[in-house]
Amino acid sequence: MVAGWRTLAEISRAFERYESNLGWQRPRLHGIGFVEGADEISFVRVNDDEDVLAAAVLATVTGWHGSTGSVRLGKSKLAKAIKRLTPADACREADRANLRIWREIHGWSWIGEYVRGGNLIAVFDADPQAPSEDPYVVALRQVIASGRQSVPPDDVWVWPPPSGRHPLQDAWEARWPHLEPIGSRLRQDTDGWVRFHSLPGSKRYAEVPSEYTTILHRHNIVLHELGAQSCDLLVITSQLAFTPTPERRDPALSDLLPDAECWLVLSWPHLDPTLAYAHAYVSRIRWQPGRLDELLRKVADDEIDDVIITPSDLAWLYAPYDGGADVILSSPELRDDLRDRHRDWLSRHPSGH
């Protein structure tokens, strides 16, 4: 059994031993992530000028002796890296975030060397200012430059898109400063929130045409009562991504809302420890009954989620989901008035969910 490294000095000496055998150029940045498809990588841990011992361990188990680039890691090599870094557990002063996350993802459901349909790789960057044609190095630089690795679990940070700060960001922060523009999180506004279910008996999904008719009828009735017919509407949608730079939209959304603009980049809190983002897009439409039926039907079928419909002054928020809709109004009085008109559509659960 390898003795634990109890002090930072012992950890430093362990790093020197590893580095003396590597023949590498010490990285400034490093991380690990899963690759699905040709170029996209979803990082689960990145490091900016920190924990070079973890980088040295990864380089050792993967046989990496270069400077900037990426190399296949896989489950078996990850297990070797965990074993080699485990002596750091003995040092209370050491940052063991890499080891903690390595252990977590090693415990995921793998099929051989693959997990979630992707390959686990390690990425090293010795000179972040030098050009690189490795797409995973480019992605590593973008993620670290955004500060995504510093966002605490379940928190949501926001950044303007590369095109610059959008006017909607200022308007949202002025009107709803305590809410993130993520449909599934709007119910945090307990003073103005009410939830309506889409089908009798709180049934979640439609199975026959008449049930789709009921779902769309309820959505359109509430939107009409909110005043959707008398103003321009903004339709906010979210696109899951793994870098802060918007690249391509979901075809289902781009077909329905082809003129959408990216107005915000958010840290996505639901995939921890994966360092995910959401690119928030906004489209301006003129509403009439049925105008959004195709979008609402896809939401009902759980093909699209985290949609928000709102007037241009953001006076109210309507967030459909697969099973109903959350409505956020500006006061408890307005909320209660709307709720009382449709008591048969409410949840029977005391929480209102």
Side-chain angles (χ1 to χ4, degrees):
M1 179 180 294
V2 178
W5 305 319
R6 298 183 178 279
T7 66
L8 292 177
E10 290 181 334
I11 286 178
S12 179
R13 288 194 291 271
F15 169 69
E16 290 171 359
R17 290 194 297 272
Y18 274 106
E19 189 170 49
S20 66
N21 295 320
L22 281 173
W24 69 347
Q25 186 176 349
R26 185 184 300 179
R28 291 270 310 281
L29 316 176
H30 67 95
I32 62 172
F34 290 94
V35 173
E36 297 183 48
D39 296 331
E40 188 172 62
I41 181 170
S42 55
F43 284 101
V44 290
R45 177 66 187 172
V46 298
N47 302 265
D48 183 2
D49 274 327
E50 59 186 348
D51 203 353
V52 287
L53 174 58
V57 167
L58 290 174
T60 299
V61 300
T62 59
W64 177 258
H65 301 292
S67 54
T68 296
S70 53
V71 62
R72 175 78 177 273
L73 182 56
K75 185 180 183 182
S76 58
K77 291 177 180 176
L78 177 63
K80 293 178 182 178
I82 291 169
K83 182 176 180 180
R84 285 176 177 267
L85 196 55
T86 290
D89 274 336
C91 182
R92 294 179 178 271
E93 301 172 86
D95 179 1
R96 289 165 287 178
N98 284 285
L99 185 56
R100 173 179 57 80
I101 290 174
W102 293 358
R103 286 171 172 157
E104 180 175 345
I105 64 173
H106 189 267
W108 290 353
S109 297
W110 294 68
I111 300 176
E113 289 293 294
Y114 299 89
V115 69
R116 296 183 178 178
N119 294 304
L120 180 63
I121 68 169
V123 185
F124 305 92
D125 190 358
D127 184 359
Q129 303 305 315
S132 175
E133 296 183 357
D134 188 318
Y136 310 130
V137 172
V138 173
L140 175 68
R141 292 173 178 177
Q142 290 180 349
V143 171
I144 287 179
S146 75
R148 177 66 181 84
Q149 69 277 10
S150 300
V151 180
D154 200 46
D155 274 14
V156 175
W157 289 9
V158 301
W159 299 268
S163 57
R165 191 175 179 91
H166 193 283
L168 182 57
Q169 184 175 352
D170 293 326
W172 184 280
E173 290 174 358
R175 185 65 187 81
W176 302 102
H178 57 296
L179 292 178
E180 301 101 2
I182 300 173
S184 57
R185 292 171 72 95
L186 294 184
R187 61 180 180 269
Q188 294 176 4
D189 186 319
T190 54
D191 288 341
W193 170 74
V194 61
R195 168 170 286 186
F196 296 119
H197 286 179
S198 293
L199 288 169
S202 298
K203 183 177 179 180
R204 195 166 185 95
Y205 296 107
E207 296 178 293
V208 295
S210 62
E211 290 178 331
Y212 282 108
T213 300
T214 298
I215 289 171
L216 296 175
H217 172 73
R218 291 188 178 187
H219 282 308
N220 280 285
I221 285 291
V222 176
L223 285 167
H224 181 82
E225 291 179 353
L226 290 169
Q229 72 280 3
S230 62
C231 59
D232 286 342
L233 292 184
L234 305 179
V235 182
I236 296 171
T237 56
S238 295
Q239 177 73 54
L240 183 65
F242 298 104
T243 67
T245 303
E247 294 180 354
R248 57 182 179 273
R249 294 179 64 209
D250 183 330
L253 285 171
S254 60
D255 289 346
L256 290 171
L257 301 164
D259 299 325
E261 300 176 326
C262 184
W263 70 282
L264 203 64
V265 178
L266 308 99
S267 59
W268 190 248
H270 303 310
L271 293 179
D272 181 68
T274 302
L275 302 176
Y277 301 81
H279 300 147
Y281 287 84
V282 61
S283 303
R284 185 180 295 270
I285 69 165
R286 191 70 183 177
W287 186 79
Q288 57 185 357
R291 170 66 176 81
L292 293 172
D293 281 5
E294 189 173 353
L295 174 67
L296 293 169
R297 179 165 176 146
K298 287 184 179 296
V299 171
D301 286 338
D302 199 22
E303 296 177 23
I304 295 173
D305 54 19
D306 287 296
V307 172
I308 300 172
I309 302 166
T310 181
S312 55
D313 64 359
L314 306 179
W316 46 263
L317 306 173
Y318 188 83
Y321 69 94
D322 56 323
D326 292 320
V327 187
I328 311 298
L329 292 153
S330 58
S331 71
E333 293 77 18
L334 290 171
R335 185 242 358 243
D336 293 347
D337 179 61
L338 183 66
R339 181 191 61 200
D340 291 345
R341 280 181 248 159
H342 303 292
R343 286 197 168 273
D344 290 346
W345 303 355
L346 300 175
S347 169
R348 296 191 180 122
H349 193 280
S351 69
H353 287 210

